[in-house]
């Protein structure tokens, strides 16, 4: 199996963990497990598809995504005097996080069709495991 597909499966597991695994960096700034996996996934995808990156700009969603990112960035820049340094950092991190989540569109679009069909089954299996362990915890360790 391809490294990109393995990291994508790890991403799906990290996605299912949600708020359970998060690291407090202070000042109401948290990093979740998914925030650690997505940059790795993006870097692996970029290194594997470096020559194909110029075709991303031909995608029908590229311009709307770029415009939304531009509005986010302009809004943050225009309000730079209204926020503290910590608030600006958190605002920038939200923009960066959104850009990383949107990049999943391009990553999944670039995956093989056979693997795309397996993604739904992977999500169902991960959800079922997560639900099973949740019930086990509920019945074995109430409160």
């Amino acid at each position: 199996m391809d490294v990109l597909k393995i990291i994508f499966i790890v991403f799906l597991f990290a996605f299912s963990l949600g708020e359970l695994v998060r690291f407090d960096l202070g000042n109401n700034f948290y990093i979740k497990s998914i925030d650690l996996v997505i940059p790795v996934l993006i870097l692996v995808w970029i290194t594997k598809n470096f020559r194909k990156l110029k075709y991303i700009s031909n995608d029908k969603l590229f311009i709307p995504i770029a415009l939304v990112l531009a509005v986010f960035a302009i809004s943050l820049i225009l309000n730079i005097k209204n926020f503290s340094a910590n608030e600006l950092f958190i605002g920038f991190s939200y923009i960066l996080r959104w850009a990383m989540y949107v990049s999943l569109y391009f990553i999944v679009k670039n995956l093989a069709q056979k693997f795309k069909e397996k993604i739904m089954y992977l999500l169902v299996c991960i959800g079922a495991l997560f639900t099973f362990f949740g019930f086990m915890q509920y019945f074995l360790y109430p409160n």
Side-chain angles (χ1 to χ4, degrees), residues 28-100:
N28 288 332
F29 186 72
Y30 300 97
I31 291 184
K32 300 172 192 139
S33 60
I34 194 170
D35 297 332
L36 300 174
V37 176
I38 283 189
V40 175
L41 181 64
I42 292 170
L43 287 174
V44 169
W45 178 70
I46 287 174
T47 56
K48 289 186 63 103
N49 298 299
F50 187 72
R51 290 195 170 90
K52 296 179 187 177
L53 289 180
K54 60 184 173 184
Y55 297 111
I56 289 175
S57 61
N58 295 334
D59 192 275
K60 63 183 177 181
L61 288 180
F62 178 77
I63 292 176
I65 289 170
L67 288 174
V68 168
L69 277 172
V71 167
F72 289 166
I74 291 169
S75 173
L76 191 64
I77 290 168
L78 289 177
N79 290 299
I80 203 163
K81 292 183 179 183
N82 298 333
F83 297 117
S84 67
N86 184 47
E87 291 170 331
L88 287 171
F89 179 69
I90 290 173
F92 176 74
S93 72
Y94 276 115
I95 295 171
L96 185 63
R97 184 179 289 163
W98 190 83
M100 288 190 300

